[in-house]
PDB file of all heavy atoms in Angstrom:
ATOM      1  N   TYR A 517      25.273  88.120 -10.679  1.00 95.00           N
ATOM      2  CA  TYR A 517      26.362  89.007 -11.124  1.00 95.00           C
ATOM      3  C   TYR A 517      27.604  88.250 -11.576  1.00 95.00           C
ATOM      4  O   TYR A 517      28.490  88.814 -12.209  1.00 95.00           O
ATOM      5  CB  TYR A 517      26.706  90.053 -10.058  1.00 95.00           C
ATOM      6  CG  TYR A 517      27.372  89.552  -8.806  1.00 95.00           C
ATOM      7  CD1 TYR A 517      28.719  89.226  -8.791  1.00 95.00           C
ATOM      8  CD2 TYR A 517      26.669  89.458  -7.618  1.00 95.00           C
ATOM      9  CE1 TYR A 517      29.341  88.780  -7.642  1.00 95.00           C
ATOM     10  CE2 TYR A 517      27.278  89.007  -6.459  1.00 95.00           C
ATOM     11  CZ  TYR A 517      28.607  88.672  -6.469  1.00 95.00           C
ATOM     12  OH  TYR A 517      29.214  88.225  -5.337  1.00 95.00           O
ATOM     13  N   ALA A 518      27.675  86.953 -11.210  1.00 94.00           N
ATOM     14  CA  ALA A 518      28.822  86.165 -11.662  1.00 94.00           C
ATOM     15  C   ALA A 518      28.684  85.829 -13.152  1.00 94.00           C
ATOM     16  O   ALA A 518      29.661  85.484 -13.811  1.00 94.00           O
ATOM     17  CB  ALA A 518      28.931  84.894 -10.837  1.00 94.00           C
ATOM     18  N   GLU A 519      27.467  85.940 -13.671  1.00 94.00           N
ATOM     19  CA  GLU A 519      27.229  85.556 -15.064  1.00 94.00           C
ATOM     20  C   GLU A 519      26.812  86.718 -15.944  1.00 94.00           C
ATOM     21  O   GLU A 519      26.864  86.639 -17.168  1.00 94.00           O
ATOM     22  CB  GLU A 519      26.105  84.504 -15.110  1.00 94.00           C
ATOM     23  CG  GLU A 519      26.484  83.202 -14.465  1.00 94.00           C
ATOM     24  CD  GLU A 519      25.277  82.294 -14.240  1.00 94.00           C
ATOM     25  OE1 GLU A 519      24.141  82.740 -14.538  1.00 94.00           O
ATOM     26  OE2 GLU A 519      25.476  81.186 -13.759  1.00 94.00           O
ATOM     27  N   THR A 520      26.349  87.804 -15.319  1.00 95.00           N
ATOM     28  CA  THR A 520      25.753  88.896 -16.094  1.00 95.00           C
ATOM     29  C   THR A 520      26.364  90.227 -15.677  1.00 95.00           C
ATOM     30  O   THR A 520      26.680  90.423 -14.500  1.00 95.00           O
ATOM     31  CB  THR A 520      24.221  88.964 -15.794  1.00 95.00           C
ATOM     32  OG1 THR A 520      23.698  87.651 -15.883  1.00 95.00           O
ATOM     33  CG2 THR A 520      23.499  89.875 -16.754  1.00 95.00           C
ATOM     34  N   ASP A 521      26.504  91.147 -16.624  1.00 95.00           N
ATOM     35  CA  ASP A 521      26.936  92.506 -16.293  1.00 95.00           C
ATOM     36  C   ASP A 521      25.747  93.224 -15.642  1.00 95.00           C
ATOM     37  O   ASP A 521      24.736  93.488 -16.299  1.00 95.00           O
ATOM     38  CB  ASP A 521      27.379  93.215 -17.575  1.00 95.00           C
ATOM     39  CG  ASP A 521      27.903  94.616 -17.285  1.00 95.00           C
ATOM     40  OD1 ASP A 521      27.257  95.338 -16.496  1.00 95.00           O
ATOM     41  OD2 ASP A 521      28.953  94.984 -17.841  1.00 95.00           O
ATOM     42  N   VAL A 522      25.885  93.522 -14.359  1.00 96.00           N
ATOM     43  CA  VAL A 522      24.742  94.016 -13.584  1.00 96.00           C
ATOM     44  C   VAL A 522      24.241  95.365 -14.114  1.00 96.00           C
ATOM     45  O   VAL A 522      23.031  95.581 -14.270  1.00 96.00           O
ATOM     46  CB  VAL A 522      25.124  94.140 -12.086  1.00 96.00           C
ATOM     47  CG1 VAL A 522      23.998  94.766 -11.292  1.00 96.00           C
ATOM     48  CG2 VAL A 522      25.482  92.779 -11.521  1.00 96.00           C
ATOM     49  N   LEU A 523      25.163  96.279 -14.406  1.00 96.00           N
ATOM     50  CA  LEU A 523      24.736  97.621 -14.830  1.00 96.00           C
ATOM     51  C   LEU A 523      23.982  97.558 -16.159  1.00 96.00           C
ATOM     52  O   LEU A 523      22.930  98.191 -16.327  1.00 96.00           O
ATOM     53  CB  LEU A 523      25.940  98.556 -14.933  1.00 96.00           C
ATOM     54  CG  LEU A 523      26.703  98.787 -13.629  1.00 96.00           C
ATOM     55  CD1 LEU A 523      27.826  99.813 -13.830  1.00 96.00           C
ATOM     56  CD2 LEU A 523      25.784  99.254 -12.509  1.00 96.00           C
ATOM     57  N   GLU A 524      24.521  96.756 -17.089  1.00 97.00           N
ATOM     58  CA  GLU A 524      23.849  96.576 -18.382  1.00 97.00           C
ATOM     59  C   GLU A 524      22.456  95.979 -18.177  1.00 97.00           C
ATOM     60  O   GLU A 524      21.462  96.457 -18.731  1.00 97.00           O
ATOM     61  CB  GLU A 524      24.662  95.620 -19.263  1.00 97.00           C
ATOM     62  CG  GLU A 524      25.839  96.268 -19.972  1.00 97.00           C
ATOM     63  CD  GLU A 524      25.378  97.260 -21.027  1.00 97.00           C
ATOM     64  OE1 GLU A 524      24.443  96.917 -21.778  1.00 97.00           O
ATOM     65  OE2 GLU A 524      25.916  98.381 -21.065  1.00 97.00           O
ATOM     66  N   ALA A 525      22.420  94.914 -17.371  1.00 97.00           N
ATOM     67  CA  ALA A 525      21.157  94.199 -17.176  1.00 97.00           C
ATOM     68  C   ALA A 525      20.103  95.108 -16.552  1.00 97.00           C
ATOM     69  O   ALA A 525      18.936  95.129 -16.989  1.00 97.00           O
ATOM     70  CB  ALA A 525      21.400  92.977 -16.291  1.00 97.00           C
ATOM     71  N   LEU A 526      20.506  95.889 -15.529  1.00 98.00           N
ATOM     72  CA  LEU A 526      19.532  96.759 -14.862  1.00 98.00           C
ATOM     73  C   LEU A 526      19.032  97.845 -15.819  1.00 98.00           C
ATOM     74  O   LEU A 526      17.856  98.218 -15.814  1.00 98.00           O
ATOM     75  CB  LEU A 526      20.147  97.395 -13.611  1.00 98.00           C
ATOM     76  CG  LEU A 526      20.262  96.466 -12.402  1.00 98.00           C
ATOM     77  CD1 LEU A 526      21.051  97.137 -11.284  1.00 98.00           C
ATOM     78  CD2 LEU A 526      18.874  96.052 -11.889  1.00 98.00           C
ATOM     79  N   ARG A 527      19.938  98.359 -16.645  1.00 97.00           N
ATOM     80  CA  ARG A 527      19.546  99.367 -17.636  1.00 97.00           C
ATOM     81  C   ARG A 527      18.478  98.806 -18.572  1.00 97.00           C
ATOM     82  O   ARG A 527      17.460  99.451 -18.837  1.00 97.00           O
ATOM     83  CB  ARG A 527      20.767  99.776 -18.456  1.00 97.00           C
ATOM     84  CG  ARG A 527      21.019 101.256 -18.433  1.00 97.00           C
ATOM     85  CD  ARG A 527      22.304 101.575 -19.165  1.00 97.00           C
ATOM     86  NE  ARG A 527      22.790 102.868 -18.764  1.00 97.00           N
ATOM     87  CZ  ARG A 527      22.365 104.015 -19.289  1.00 97.00           C
ATOM     88  NH1 ARG A 527      21.469 104.028 -20.242  1.00 97.00           N
ATOM     89  NH2 ARG A 527      22.855 105.167 -18.856  1.00 97.00           N
ATOM     90  N   GLU A 528      18.756  97.575 -19.059  1.00 97.00           N
ATOM     91  CA  GLU A 528      17.825  96.985 -20.022  1.00 97.00           C
ATOM     92  C   GLU A 528      16.493  96.606 -19.363  1.00 97.00           C
ATOM     93  O   GLU A 528      15.435  96.790 -19.948  1.00 97.00           O
ATOM     94  CB  GLU A 528      18.456  95.764 -20.709  1.00 97.00           C
ATOM     95  CG  GLU A 528      19.626  96.129 -21.619  1.00 97.00           C
ATOM     96  CD  GLU A 528      19.362  97.389 -22.444  1.00 97.00           C
ATOM     97  OE1 GLU A 528      18.268  97.507 -23.036  1.00 97.00           O
ATOM     98  OE2 GLU A 528      20.238  98.286 -22.487  1.00 97.00           O
ATOM     99  N   LEU A 529      16.582  96.106 -18.133  1.00 97.00           N
ATOM    100  CA  LEU A 529      15.340  95.715 -17.441  1.00 97.00           C
ATOM    101  C   LEU A 529      14.456  96.930 -17.138  1.00 97.00           C
ATOM    102  O   LEU A 529      13.273  96.791 -16.829  1.00 97.00           O
ATOM    103  CB  LEU A 529      15.676  94.990 -16.125  1.00 97.00           C
ATOM    104  CG  LEU A 529      16.124  93.523 -16.265  1.00 97.00           C
ATOM    105  CD1 LEU A 529      16.727  93.008 -14.972  1.00 97.00           C
ATOM    106  CD2 LEU A 529      14.938  92.642 -16.678  1.00 97.00           C
ATOM    107  N   THR A 530      15.038  98.118 -17.200  1.00 98.00           N
ATOM    108  CA  THR A 530      14.246  99.319 -16.904  1.00 98.00           C
ATOM    109  C   THR A 530      14.167 100.242 -18.141  1.00 98.00           C
ATOM    110  O   THR A 530      13.950 101.445 -17.995  1.00 98.00           O
ATOM    111  CB  THR A 530      14.877 100.112 -15.734  1.00 98.00           C
ATOM    112  OG1 THR A 530      16.248 100.368 -16.064  1.00 98.00           O
ATOM    113  CG2 THR A 530      14.806  99.365 -14.433  1.00 98.00           C
ATOM    114  N   ALA A 531      14.387  99.667 -19.298  1.00 97.00           N
ATOM    115  CA  ALA A 531      14.307 100.417 -20.559  1.00 97.00           C
ATOM    116  C   ALA A 531      15.166 101.681 -20.516  1.00 97.00           C
ATOM    117  O   ALA A 531      14.733 102.761 -20.931  1.00 97.00           O
ATOM    118  CB  ALA A 531      12.855 100.758 -20.889  1.00 97.00           C
ATOM    119  N   GLY A 532      16.369 101.523 -19.985  1.00 97.00           N
ATOM    120  CA  GLY A 532      17.334 102.624 -20.039  1.00 97.00           C
ATOM    121  C   GLY A 532      17.323 103.547 -18.847  1.00 97.00           C
ATOM    122  O   GLY A 532      18.261 104.330 -18.660  1.00 97.00           O
ATOM    123  N   ARG A 533      16.272 103.506 -17.997  1.00 97.00           N
ATOM    124  CA  ARG A 533      16.184 104.492 -16.905  1.00 97.00           C
ATOM    125  C   ARG A 533      17.117 104.178 -15.747  1.00 97.00           C
ATOM    126  O   ARG A 533      17.737 105.058 -15.175  1.00 97.00           O
ATOM    127  CB  ARG A 533      14.747 104.541 -16.351  1.00 97.00           C
ATOM    128  CG  ARG A 533      13.678 104.915 -17.346  1.00 97.00           C
ATOM    129  CD  ARG A 533      12.325 105.092 -16.654  1.00 97.00           C
ATOM    130  NE  ARG A 533      11.938 103.949 -15.830  1.00 97.00           N
ATOM    131  CZ  ARG A 533      11.338 102.855 -16.308  1.00 97.00           C
ATOM    132  NH1 ARG A 533      11.084 102.742 -17.599  1.00 97.00           N
ATOM    133  NH2 ARG A 533      11.001 101.874 -15.504  1.00 97.00           N
TER     134      ARG A 533
END
Side-chain angles (χ1 to χ4, degrees):
Chain A
Y517 70 77
E519 294 167 356
T520 313
D521 183 316
V522 175
L523 298 184
E524 279 292 316
L526 284 172
R527 235 175 200 277
E528 293 319 313
L529 283 167
T530 54
R533 300 187 308 276

